[in-house]
Amino acid sequence: MLSLLDLCARIDDGRLTPEGAVRLVRAAIAAREPEVGALVCVDPAPVVAAAGPLAGIAVGIKDIIDTADLPTRMGSAIYESWHPRADAPVVARLKSLGAAPLAKTTTTPFAFLDPTATRNPHHPGHTPGGSSAGSAAAVAAGMLPLALGTQTGGSVIRPAAFCGVVGVKPSFRLLPTVGVKCYSWALDTLGLFAAGVADAAHALALLADRPAIGRTHDGSAPRIGIVRQEFCAAPDPEAEAALGRAAAAAERAGAVVHDLALPARFGEAYAAHGTIQDYEARQALAWEYAAHRDALPPRLRAALDAAQGIETAAYDAARRTAHHARRSLKDVFSEDGPDVLLTYAAPGAAPAGLDQTGDSRFNRLWTLMGVPCVTLPVERTPAGLPVGVQVIARFGDDGRALAAAGLIERALRG
């Protein structure tokens, strides 16, 4: 994989020019894209900045995020010829930092469950996950050092786990979702993919203009609560094994690790996620549903059909349930409680076949809570498929989540 920090270091010390860094990416795309199918389009003549903290860094942009220089197709033929006039603020921020938004990466249609044709770089017969399929796969295949994605249920954390890269779902609204096709305004969260924790932390710190997020070597030994989310169906054995290995690595690195059972209120919030998501999707995609229902893919069409029957009272009750759980999460992260939580990033390795994107059951609650989450690759199955874990911190404590993930990453390598 391409390390963002390595490329930046080589550019800073003169071993590589920004234009040369983009050429490296183009060569990698030429070599891997025919096999992986992670990209919708590539800018044939991108502007490559000569200066800036991300000068020479080519970035993949999930194809529900507006770009002025490239079309934004939402993974749907409905928007086949759509070309925004403006960049989404997050893309404008990338450009201001010197980055080159080089390619649009594949997304499931409107970031829902109907799969893309993108293949897992580690095994072409397996899904890369979704909905940020192309972003995760492109970074995993070594085609891009950084890519943007979004998460409404598990669309950053899960594909990162399936593809064996670091994925970050920041605290809710840390990054602006203006210019991003909405599915659920209470849940949609911009995230990113990178080769390692330090790469991801550096990128997020720059995007959010919060330098402290990038300091992943803070020297502290965190208190880690192991959460198994008993209100969900059990994971596959390889996911449990990865969680155990990550916990053991954390202990070797000096962390204090203990099991933590979440109160019943969190199971209730988990169950409320779908009501909130679907009620809002019904409104966010009202035009597409009314004008182009037959052009919508089958899973999305069925979900929107069902969402027409969700009553406002049920939606309001679900929002109250989520609100109470968010308040209760402050008690979980109390002064005497854990600094971070460690749990499954996905039920197991990427499933076989390209007709699904996998299960987001270990992600939905944390998206609903709005807290920062980091996927960390841990091991591989005998078939070579990655398995990861997820590090979670309290709302607004993105740096702590990344620091704990960095500590575990270093311990696993040691």
Side-chain angles (χ1 to χ4, degrees):
M1 287 185 281
L2 292 170
S3 165
L4 182 153
L5 286 175
D6 175 67
L7 289 173
C8 288
R10 291 162 66 186
I11 292 168
D12 287 346
D13 65 17
R15 288 178 290 154
L16 188 66
T17 65
E19 293 84 358
V22 173
R23 283 195 297 272
L24 283 178
V25 168
R26 285 190 175 281
I29 289 172
R32 294 302 310 275
E33 172 60 8
E35 172 193 359
V36 178
L39 307 181
V40 178
C41 57
V42 178
D43 192 336
V47 175
V48 180
L54 291 181
I57 299 302
V59 185
I61 311 295
K62 184 177 180 178
D63 200 26
I64 61 166
I65 302 172
D66 283 351
T67 44
D69 300 324
L70 295 168
T72 302
R73 296 169 180 162
M74 321 292 181
S76 171
I78 297 170
Y79 286 88
E80 183 64 29
S81 60
W82 174 240
H83 201 128
R85 296 191 64 181
D87 288 324
V90 69
V91 177
R93 174 66 177 168
L94 282 167
K95 288 182 176 179
S96 75
L97 294 165
L102 181 67
K104 298 304 283 283
T105 58
T106 61
T107 176
T108 63
F110 301 103
F112 193 58
L113 299 177
D114 300 271
T116 71
T118 305
R119 296 168 289 280
N120 193 303
H122 302 283
H123 198 306
H126 289 247
T127 179
S131 60
S132 306
S135 290
V139 172
M143 292 192 285
L144 290 166
L146 179 65
L148 298 184
T150 64
Q151 178 158 310
T152 307
S155 295
V156 170
I157 297 301
R158 185 175 78 263
F162 286 171
C163 292
V165 299
V166 170
V168 181
K169 182 203 77 66
S171 293
F172 187 62
R173 296 295 187 250
L174 181 68
L175 300 178
T177 55
V178 178
V180 180
K181 181 62 175 176
C182 179
Y183 196 90
S184 166
W185 56 86
L187 299 169
D188 293 347
T189 309
L190 266 167
L192 54 87
F193 301 86
V197 173
D199 298 298
H202 184 67
L204 182 60
L206 289 170
L207 281 172
D209 196 19
R210 288 171 168 82
I213 288 175
R215 299 179 190 131
T216 58
H217 290 70
D218 63 5
S220 64
R223 297 166 296 176
I224 299 177
I226 307 296
V227 172
R228 288 184 168 81
Q229 298 183 212
E230 288 80 2
F231 45 81
C232 297
D236 296 336
E238 61 260 30
E240 184 63 44
L243 185 63
R245 186 180 173 204
E251 284 190 303
R252 289 197 304 272
V256 177
V257 179
H258 65 278
D259 289 331
L260 178 66
L262 294 174
R265 174 164 282 171
F266 292 96
E268 297 166 3
Y270 167 80
H273 174 277
T275 299
I276 295 171
Q277 172 187 271
D278 294 349
Y279 182 89
E280 294 186 352
R282 184 180 81 192
Q283 298 179 66
L285 298 176
W287 177 82
E288 289 83 0
Y289 184 76
H292 297 280
R293 179 184 175 278
D294 291 345
L296 297 173
R299 288 184 174 98
L300 177 58
R301 186 168 60 245
L304 292 178
D305 285 344
Q308 306 308 307
I310 300 175
E311 296 182 354
T312 301
Y315 170 69
D316 290 344
R319 290 179 64 203
R320 285 193 295 271
T321 298
H323 173 70
H324 293 320
R326 291 187 194 110
R327 294 187 64 179
S328 294
L329 195 57
K330 296 178 182 178
D331 297 329
V332 173
F333 287 114
S334 65
E335 185 175 342
D336 298 326
D339 297 307
V340 298
L341 306 179
L342 181 66
T343 189
Y344 316 108
L354 301 179
D355 59 345
Q356 61 163 315
T357 62
D359 192 313
S360 64
R361 66 179 181 266
F362 293 116
N363 315 128
R364 293 172 216 152
L365 173 66
W366 309 113
T367 307
L368 184 63
M369 295 298 96
V371 292
C373 306
V374 181
T375 299
L376 181 67
V378 174
E379 56 190 7
R380 300 282 186 94
T381 68
L385 290 164
V387 184
V389 295
Q390 180 178 192
V391 178
I392 300 161
R394 60 172 57 84
F395 179 81
D397 213 354
D398 299 69
R400 191 182 296 273
L402 284 156
L407 177 140
I408 297 172
E409 180 185 61
R410 294 188 296 275
L412 287 168
R413 289 173 178 170

